[in-house]
């Protein structure tokens, strides 16, 4: 039975995340210091003592969540628990960048800068109020995708995230998402509700952000990851650095195939998933996807110490 290291995406951020790790492990503190230096600002102060509204801004949340994940990984390494334990790495949306940094494909400083660019580009791609996203609970991905197709009516409306067997997220223009909420309920959804997000992520409206990320990624050195990445848009493993760059661009407008990715890893013999960083959202999803698997959330010094007996 093998292990996958998985990394959370936007929405997991909390004020104070990673602070206990930084206080307990010099290597974890060094991660936050390096991210601060790369961005030319004290992001760590915002993470630990700032306002949640400011931290939740996409341009801040993305590098902050990555930094917290990398700090947890640094703490694990300090306890002698390294990447060699993992058969695969994967991450939910921005977590894919954390996964690649963890696997040595891209430097910590470059990852921080890329995520700052990504966050700003995704926010700027669509004027505020013109796009929306909605969670659909109780429908499978195929039905949710059909709801999106029927709701589009000339606008953009797409299945953005397959999170688990009964939780999917739609993204697109505000009017189309409003129609999709009604159609989803008519199709038998237990719940269909708009999400409090600042932009319609992972749909065709994000094409300007994808174009900007293509330019940004061109100038950054990527190496082949030491452990294969299970890519969001493929739900399959990829280890070629050039191909991974292209997938990161595709990911901006493409579907986050999280359910399919977890199913694929489970089919390859992964029986344990370690969620490294803030929160336990991925663990909850994985529990509903690969029900026989074991989950570990690693975001505090106690979580890291407990791994020594794993």
């Amino acid at each position: 039975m093998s292990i996958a290291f998985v990394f959370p995406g936007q929405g997991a951020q909390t004020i104070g995340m990673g602070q206990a790790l930084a206080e307990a492990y010099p290597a974890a503190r060094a991660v936050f210091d390096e991210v601060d230096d790369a961005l030319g600002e004290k992001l760590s102060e915002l993470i630990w003592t700032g306002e949640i509204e400011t931290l939740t801004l996409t341009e801040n949340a993305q590098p902050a969540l990555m930094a917290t994940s990398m700090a947890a990984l640094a703490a694990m390494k300090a306890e002698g628990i390294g990447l060699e334990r993992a058969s695969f790495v994967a991450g939910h949306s921005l977590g894919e960048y954390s996964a690649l940094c963890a696997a040595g494909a891209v430097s910590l400083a470059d990852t921080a800068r890329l995520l700052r660019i990504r966050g700003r580009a995704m926010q700027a791609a669509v004027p505020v109020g013109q796009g929306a996203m909605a969670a659909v609970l109780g429908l499978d991905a195929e039905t949710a995708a059909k709801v999106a197709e029927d709701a589009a009516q000339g606008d953009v409306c797409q299945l953005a995230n397959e999170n688990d067997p009964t939780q999917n997220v739609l993204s697109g223009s505000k009017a189309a998402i409003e129609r999709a909420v009604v159609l989803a309920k008519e199709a038998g959804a237990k719940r269909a509700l708009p999400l409090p997000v600042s932009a319609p992520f992972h749909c065709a409206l994000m094409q300007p952000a994808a174009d900007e990320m293509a330019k940004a990624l061109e100038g950054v050195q990527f190496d082949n990851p030491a452990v294969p990445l299970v890519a969001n848009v493929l739900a399959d493993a990829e280890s070629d650095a050039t191909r991974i760059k292209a997938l990161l661009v595709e990911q901006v407008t493409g579907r986050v195939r999280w359910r399919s990715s977890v199913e694929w890893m489970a089919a390859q013999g992964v029986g344990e998933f370690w969620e490294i960083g803030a929160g336990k959202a991925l663990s909850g999803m994985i529990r509903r996807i690969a029900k026989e698997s074991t989950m570990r959330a690693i975001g505090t010094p106690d979580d890291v110490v407990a791994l020594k007996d794993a």
Side-chain angles (χ1 to χ4, degrees), residues 72-108:
L73 192 70
M76 290 165 55
K77 288 179 182 174
E79 296 288 2
I81 304 158
L83 187 67
E84 69 279 354
R85 298 292 297 273
S87 296
F88 301 100
V89 294
H92 192 283
S93 191
L94 84 89
E96 194 154 87
Y97 285 78
S98 304
L100 287 165
C101 185
V106 59
S107 73
L108 176 61

Side-chain angles (χ1 to χ4, degrees), residues 273-284:
F273 292 85
W274 292 8
E275 182 174 3
I276 301 172
K280 299 180 180 180
L282 296 185
S283 295

Side-chain angles (χ1 to χ4, degrees), residues 209-247:
D211 294 342
E212 189 157 343
M213 287 311 298
K215 292 176 191 170
L217 285 159
E218 265 181 27
V220 175
Q221 173 66 38
F222 267 62
D223 297 318
N224 295 341
V227 172
L229 171 78
V230 180
N232 284 183
V233 296
L234 290 181
D236 200 344
E238 182 57 68
S239 293
D240 179 76
T242 302
R243 177 71 178 134
I244 285 169
K245 278 191 178 185
L247 293 173

Side-chain angles (χ1 to χ4, degrees), residues 112-188:
R113 287 188 285 262
L114 284 169
L115 286 174
R116 171 55 58 80
I117 293 167
R118 184 177 184 268
R120 286 178 173 165
M122 292 173 83
Q123 184 60 62
V126 181
V128 174
Q130 291 189 16
M133 299 181 77
V136 177
L137 308 181
L139 297 182
D140 60 32
E142 292 72 20
T143 307
K146 181 65 166 61
V147 165
E149 183 183 338
D150 292 344
Q153 298 179 23
D155 293 327
V156 171
C157 193
Q158 293 172 227
L159 176 57
N161 298 356
E162 310 168 9
N163 283 338
D164 66 40
T166 61
Q167 182 192 120
N168 297 283
V169 176
L170 308 183
S171 183
S173 70
K174 189 171 185 292
I177 292 298
E178 288 170 351
R179 291 191 292 268
V181 166
V182 174
L183 290 175
K185 291 174 182 174
E186 291 175 356

